[in-house]
Amino acid sequence: DDGTGDDDGTGDDDGTGDDDGTGDDDGTGDEDGTGDDDGTGDDDGDDESGDPADSNTCFPADSMVETADGTIKRIDKVQIGDSLHVGGGRYSTVFSWGHKDEFAFTNFVRLEAGDAEIELSHTHYLPVNGKLMIAMDAKVGDRVVVADGSEREISAVKIVKKQGLYNPHTMEGKIVVNGIVASIYTRAVAPKLASSLLALPRLAYRLGLGDVLGGLLHRKSPLIAAILPKGLPSYA
């Protein structure tokens, strides 16, 4: 696979941007295991409310990722320049951070699929049923993509409260977390637009200029997202 756009909508490998990752075939949310009866994924009333696109969009600090040398490490230990597994035996370099907050304590959606499980914010995208969908709309019986590139059915959907908000940006636009493939993109900014905006920082990193954003995204992401078009719950 040359990473130039795939049917799971998770991006490309050449640093020029990815397809917006196609959405789901229903995008309607669920009532069967998200911990609530209104599809918001919040069973205790103290998590994100209002427009879900404004919620925090990351992975908790203790999420595990794999580097190109086979090391398994916590996501809060990832550094710029690390090459992370993005699925199917491919690895992609981290060129910037979308979010990096060790003190945040918030709710996440946990999707369990066999011996793999992923915890991510409600409006973080991941491939579901061959399309791109926000985590809060995934339901039991839907299919996620696991590390080897195969699909596996979701067996449980839960809400958990955990510490940390981390979202390393890889060149390819996706990342394997706890054995399940996710996008680096979130509903905070429409995926195609987010990919286009990151094209210059990707190129700068490839040219040896390092992280030209210098932490701007994870320090100012709420302000940036507030003035940009938000993503849809899913993409066809």
Side-chain angles (χ1 to χ4, degrees), residues 139-161:
K139 56 187 181 294
V140 172
D142 285 343
R143 302 182 312 279
V144 293
V145 180
V146 294
D148 65 3
S150 64
E151 292 187 334
R152 190 174 297 173
E153 283 193 1
I154 296 173
S155 56
V157 180
K158 302 176 182 177
I159 303 300
V160 295
K161 179 162 283 189

Side-chain angles (χ1 to χ4, degrees), residues 115-236:
D115 60 355
E117 64 179 41
I118 189 170
E119 296 159 346
L120 66 176
S121 300
H122 292 60
T123 58
H124 202 115
Y125 289 113
L126 76 164
V128 179
N129 299 331
K131 305 170 184 179
L132 206 66
M133 182 189 296
I134 56 174
M136 65 184 286
D137 282 352
K139 56 187 181 294
V140 172
D142 285 343
R143 302 182 312 279
V144 293
V145 180
V146 294
D148 65 3
S150 64
E151 292 187 334
R152 190 174 297 173
E153 283 193 1
I154 296 173
S155 56
V157 180
K158 302 176 182 177
I159 303 300
V160 295
K161 179 162 283 189
K162 305 192 76 172
Q163 186 168 354
L165 288 168
Y166 291 85
N167 188 18
H169 282 177
T170 64
M171 291 286 191
E172 190 164 335
K174 57 184 175 179
I175 182 173
V176 173
V177 176
N178 294 348
I180 295 178
V181 178
S183 172
I184 67 168
Y185 299 114
T186 74
R187 197 182 173 190
V189 179
K192 271 191 174 180
L193 176 58
S195 180
S196 296
L197 293 173
L198 289 172
L200 186 57
R202 282 194 297 265
L203 177 60
Y205 186 86
R206 287 185 179 277
L207 294 175
L209 301 179
D211 178 13
V212 296
L213 295 175
L216 175 65
L217 285 183
H218 65 81
R219 290 197 306 267
K220 302 294 185 182
S221 56
L223 298 177
I224 296 171
I227 62 174
L228 296 173
K230 293 176 173 58
L232 300 174
S234 60
Y235 287 87

